[in-house]
Every structure is written in C-alpha cells, then in structure tokens.
Amino acid sequence: IKNVDKDAFEEFRTLISQSQTSNTPQTEKEISKSLINLFSKGLLLNIKDISIAKISMDDVKDVDAFSLNVLLDVKEDANLGKYINTNPDKLLETITLDSKLSISKDFYALMNKTVPVTALAGGFAKKVGNNYIFELKLKDSKVSVNGRSLK
C-alpha cells in the first residue's frame, strides 16, 4: 500500500482488530465509515500475486486453484462517502483498477457446484490452457472484463 493516510489507516486497523472480539452492528458501521474515510484520502494498492497452487475441497483433492494480481488506485476526494449513495458514476471516476484472476478449469467447476452464480461469469471467461482468465479493468468510469464493456 502506498500513498495511504497513516492516521486513517491506523483507525481502520484498530477497528478491525476490535471487531475480532466484539462484532456488533455499531462496530460494523464504524468500520464502514472508517474505510470510506481511508479511501477518501486516496491510496495505491498493488497486490503482485495472491495465489493458491493446490486446494482440496469436499471429496476432491489437490485441484489447481487460482492466482490474483490487483492494482487499485483511489484518487483523494473528500466527497467519496457521499458518492456511494448519491452519485455512483462520480465514485467510479475516483477509482482506477487493473486486475487479473486466473482460475483453473477444475477449481472453477468445483466452485460452480457450491456457488452456481459463477456460471454467469463464464460468458466473460477467456480460456487459456487449463485456466479461465478474468481481466477486470476500471478506468475513466468504464468497467470491462477481458475487454468487454459492462456499461
């Protein structure tokens, strides 16, 4: 994480820590407010690789899993919290996202058994070898998956 407001981040981190022992509706509201405050200060999040090579679920063992890369840039905007409910398009103007999710076909099929909604994502999937690729981009309020616009 870069360009993050240290005070806003510390407040958010503290609330998350407290929620581990006392998670109430009030705590959840405070966390949400703190997260909005953190993002309104702007930040750059770069996750170069989160991956799980193999996974076992139910009676299936050692299935190739997934990898994820994310670059998220949120521009500083004191009104970001207001945009969430009143002007989502303005909210999207503050965010740039470039991400890539690679899911093995076997893991995708396994997930589809427990969460059938993943079948809807299949229309956007790009097949590369033994994987499904999803490149999600958000720039200038335009959202796309594998180059196909969602707007």
Side-chain angles (χ1 to χ4, degrees):
I1 296 178
K2 292 183 181 179
N3 305 334
V4 66
D5 182 273
K6 291 178 184 173
D7 293 335
F9 182 75
E10 183 58 27
E11 175 189 2
F12 177 70
R13 190 199 63 74
T14 300
L15 288 168
I16 292 295
S17 189
Q18 290 171 355
S19 74
Q20 302 302 313
T21 57
S22 173
N23 194 9
T24 65
Q26 180 61 32
T27 305
E28 289 179 19
K29 285 180 185 176
E30 289 176 15
I31 289 171
S32 178
K33 183 178 175 185
S34 176
L35 184 60
I36 291 168
N37 180 50
L38 176 65
F39 280 112
S40 72
K41 308 280 186 185
L43 63 84
L44 178 67
L45 175 66
N46 188 0
I47 301 172
K48 294 193 187 252
D49 183 32
I50 292 179
S51 54
I52 297 178
K54 300 279 186 185
I55 194 163
S56 298
M57 290 176 60
D58 301 326
D59 59 343
V60 179
K61 298 202 184 291
D62 291 336
V63 172
D64 290 341
F66 70 90
S67 68
L68 173 68
N69 307 8
V70 176
L71 179 60
L72 173 69
D73 187 1
V74 181
K75 295 177 196 159
E76 182 176 351
D77 192 324
N79 294 312
L80 190 128
K82 294 176 188 173
Y83 301 152
I84 291 172
N85 294 319
T86 62
N87 194 345
D89 287 336
K90 189 73 172 162
L91 174 67
L92 291 179
E93 289 176 13
T94 67
I95 302 169
T96 301
L97 173 69
D98 190 352
S99 63
K100 180 178 180 181
L101 174 63
S102 176
I103 304 174
S104 78
K105 290 178 181 177
D106 292 337
F107 184 55
Y108 187 84
L110 186 61
M111 285 189 332
N112 218 10
K113 288 181 183 176
T114 56
V115 186
V117 75
T118 58
L120 297 174
F124 290 98
K126 179 171 46 172
K127 296 174 186 170
V128 176
N130 194 36
N131 296 306
Y132 290 115
I133 307 295
F134 298 91
E135 292 179 344
L136 176 64
K137 297 185 185 290
L138 168 59
K139 186 171 183 175
D140 300 327
S141 299
K142 293 177 177 70
V143 182
S144 67
V145 178
N146 292 338
R148 291 177 50 195
S149 178
L150 296 184
K151 255 188 165 182

